[in-house]
Short mmCIF file of all heavy atoms in Angstrom, two decimals:
data_model
loop_
_atom_site.label_atom_id
_atom_site.label_comp_id
_atom_site.label_asym_id
_atom_site.label_seq_id
_atom_site.Cartn_x
_atom_site.Cartn_y
_atom_site.Cartn_z
N GLY H 167 -22.01 -30.98 17.10
CA GLY H 167 -21.41 -30.19 16.11
C GLY H 167 -19.94 -30.23 16.01
O GLY H 167 -19.32 -30.67 16.97
N GLU H 168 -19.32 -29.90 14.83
CA GLU H 168 -17.96 -29.91 14.77
C GLU H 168 -17.36 -28.52 15.38
O GLU H 168 -18.01 -27.54 15.32
CB GLU H 168 -17.49 -29.89 13.30
CG GLU H 168 -17.82 -31.17 12.55
CD GLU H 168 -19.26 -31.17 12.03
OE1 GLU H 168 -19.96 -30.27 12.20
OE2 GLU H 168 -19.66 -32.21 11.47
N ARG H 169 -16.22 -28.76 16.05
CA ARG H 169 -15.60 -27.54 16.57
C ARG H 169 -14.15 -27.52 16.20
O ARG H 169 -13.46 -28.57 16.01
CB ARG H 169 -15.67 -27.58 18.10
CG ARG H 169 -17.15 -27.32 18.61
CD ARG H 169 -17.18 -27.53 20.10
NE ARG H 169 -18.58 -27.42 20.60
CZ ARG H 169 -19.00 -27.72 21.72
NH1 ARG H 169 -18.16 -28.38 22.52
NH2 ARG H 169 -20.27 -27.51 22.08
N LEU H 170 -13.56 -26.41 16.03
CA LEU H 170 -12.09 -26.12 15.70
C LEU H 170 -11.42 -25.40 16.79
O LEU H 170 -11.85 -24.27 17.09
CB LEU H 170 -11.90 -25.48 14.36
CG LEU H 170 -10.44 -25.21 13.97
CD1 LEU H 170 -9.78 -26.59 13.71
CD2 LEU H 170 -10.41 -24.39 12.65
N PHE H 171 -10.51 -26.04 17.56
CA PHE H 171 -9.89 -25.36 18.58
C PHE H 171 -8.45 -24.89 18.05
O PHE H 171 -7.73 -25.75 17.48
CB PHE H 171 -9.64 -26.27 19.80
CG PHE H 171 -10.86 -26.68 20.48
CD1 PHE H 171 -11.59 -27.76 20.09
CD2 PHE H 171 -11.42 -25.90 21.50
CE1 PHE H 171 -12.91 -28.12 20.67
CE2 PHE H 171 -12.58 -26.25 22.18
CZ PHE H 171 -13.28 -27.34 21.68
N VAL H 172 -8.11 -23.71 18.26
CA VAL H 172 -6.87 -23.18 17.76
C VAL H 172 -5.95 -22.74 18.99
O VAL H 172 -6.41 -21.91 19.81
CB VAL H 172 -7.02 -21.90 16.80
CG1 VAL H 172 -5.62 -21.36 16.38
CG2 VAL H 172 -7.92 -22.36 15.71
N PHE H 173 -4.86 -23.28 19.03
CA PHE H 173 -3.90 -23.03 20.17
C PHE H 173 -2.65 -22.25 19.57
O PHE H 173 -1.97 -22.73 18.68
CB PHE H 173 -3.48 -24.29 20.91
CG PHE H 173 -4.53 -25.12 21.58
CD1 PHE H 173 -5.17 -26.08 20.78
CD2 PHE H 173 -5.00 -24.85 22.75
CE1 PHE H 173 -6.23 -26.75 21.32
CE2 PHE H 173 -6.02 -25.54 23.35
CZ PHE H 173 -6.62 -26.54 22.67
N ILE H 174 -2.50 -21.05 20.04
CA ILE H 174 -1.23 -20.30 19.52
C ILE H 174 -0.24 -20.05 20.66
O ILE H 174 -0.66 -19.45 21.76
CB ILE H 174 -1.77 -18.89 18.94
CG1 ILE H 174 -2.74 -19.13 17.84
CG2 ILE H 174 -0.56 -18.07 18.49
CD1 ILE H 174 -3.36 -17.80 17.27
N GLU H 175 0.90 -20.57 20.57
CA GLU H 175 1.83 -20.45 21.51
C GLU H 175 2.32 -19.02 21.62
O GLU H 175 2.67 -18.33 20.61
CB GLU H 175 3.04 -21.28 21.29
CG GLU H 175 4.13 -21.33 22.37
CD GLU H 175 5.33 -22.31 21.94
OE1 GLU H 175 5.24 -22.96 20.93
OE2 GLU H 175 6.26 -22.20 22.75
N GLN H 176 2.34 -18.39 22.83
CA GLN H 176 2.69 -17.06 23.05
C GLN H 176 4.21 -16.83 23.44
O GLN H 176 4.65 -15.71 23.43
CB GLN H 176 1.80 -16.50 24.18
CG GLN H 176 0.34 -16.41 23.81
CD GLN H 176 0.03 -15.34 22.64
OE1 GLN H 176 0.79 -14.29 22.54
NE2 GLN H 176 -0.89 -15.65 21.78
N GLY H 177 4.84 -17.88 23.70
CA GLY H 177 6.30 -17.72 24.06
C GLY H 177 6.44 -17.42 25.53
O GLY H 177 5.60 -17.81 26.34
N GLU H 178 7.60 -16.77 25.95
CA GLU H 178 7.89 -16.52 27.25
C GLU H 178 6.76 -15.48 27.93
O GLU H 178 6.30 -14.70 27.17
CB GLU H 178 9.19 -15.88 27.44
CG GLU H 178 10.33 -16.76 26.94
CD GLU H 178 10.42 -18.11 27.83
OE1 GLU H 178 9.96 -18.07 29.01
OE2 GLU H 178 10.83 -19.16 27.31
N LEU H 179 6.66 -15.61 29.18
CA LEU H 179 5.59 -14.76 29.85
C LEU H 179 5.97 -13.22 29.79
O LEU H 179 5.14 -12.30 29.76
CB LEU H 179 5.42 -15.17 31.34
CG LEU H 179 4.98 -16.48 31.49
CD1 LEU H 179 4.77 -16.92 32.99
CD2 LEU H 179 3.48 -16.56 30.92
N ASP H 180 7.27 -12.96 29.66
CA ASP H 180 7.70 -11.62 29.65
C ASP H 180 7.46 -10.98 28.26
O ASP H 180 7.92 -9.90 28.02
CB ASP H 180 9.09 -11.36 30.17
CG ASP H 180 10.08 -12.26 29.38
OD1 ASP H 180 9.65 -13.10 28.69
OD2 ASP H 180 11.34 -11.96 29.56
N HIS H 181 7.12 -11.74 27.31
CA HIS H 181 6.85 -11.32 25.99
C HIS H 181 5.44 -11.43 25.59
O HIS H 181 5.07 -12.17 24.60
CB HIS H 181 7.73 -11.94 24.86
CG HIS H 181 9.20 -11.78 25.10
ND1 HIS H 181 9.82 -10.57 24.81
CD2 HIS H 181 10.14 -12.55 25.62
CE1 HIS H 181 11.09 -10.78 25.02
NE2 HIS H 181 11.32 -11.94 25.58
N ALA H 182 4.55 -10.90 26.51
CA ALA H 182 3.08 -11.07 26.33
C ALA H 182 2.61 -10.31 25.08
O ALA H 182 3.20 -9.36 24.59
CB ALA H 182 2.32 -10.48 27.52
N GLY H 183 1.49 -10.80 24.46
CA GLY H 183 0.97 -10.07 23.30
C GLY H 183 1.12 -10.97 22.08
O GLY H 183 1.85 -12.20 22.12
N TRP H 184 0.62 -10.57 20.99
CA TRP H 184 0.74 -11.23 19.73
C TRP H 184 2.16 -11.33 19.17
O TRP H 184 2.73 -10.30 18.95
CB TRP H 184 -0.22 -10.69 18.70
CG TRP H 184 -0.16 -11.29 17.39
CD1 TRP H 184 0.06 -12.51 17.08
CD2 TRP H 184 -0.58 -10.72 16.13
NE1 TRP H 184 -0.02 -12.87 15.70
CE2 TRP H 184 -0.40 -11.62 15.11
CE3 TRP H 184 -0.95 -9.41 15.80
CZ2 TRP H 184 -0.72 -11.38 13.80
CZ3 TRP H 184 -1.21 -9.16 14.52
CH2 TRP H 184 -1.07 -10.17 13.52
N GLN H 185 2.62 -12.48 18.87
CA GLN H 185 3.86 -12.69 18.26
C GLN H 185 3.63 -13.25 16.88
O GLN H 185 3.42 -14.41 16.69
CB GLN H 185 4.83 -13.73 19.01
CG GLN H 185 5.05 -13.35 20.47
CD GLN H 185 5.76 -11.99 20.66
OE1 GLN H 185 6.71 -11.78 19.76
NE2 GLN H 185 5.41 -11.17 21.51
N PRO H 186 3.57 -12.37 15.86
CA PRO H 186 3.03 -12.79 14.53
C PRO H 186 3.93 -13.92 13.89
O PRO H 186 3.32 -14.81 13.19
CB PRO H 186 3.21 -11.50 13.67
CG PRO H 186 3.29 -10.38 14.67
CD PRO H 186 3.90 -10.91 15.98
#
Side-chain angles (χ1 to χ4, degrees):
E168 295 84 1
R169 292 174 182 162
L170 178 65
F171 294 88
V172 181
F173 299 88
I174 301 179
E175 183 181 356
Q176 293 294 326
E178 298 296 333
L179 293 178
D180 57 346
H181 296 289
W184 178 27
Q185 304 297 322

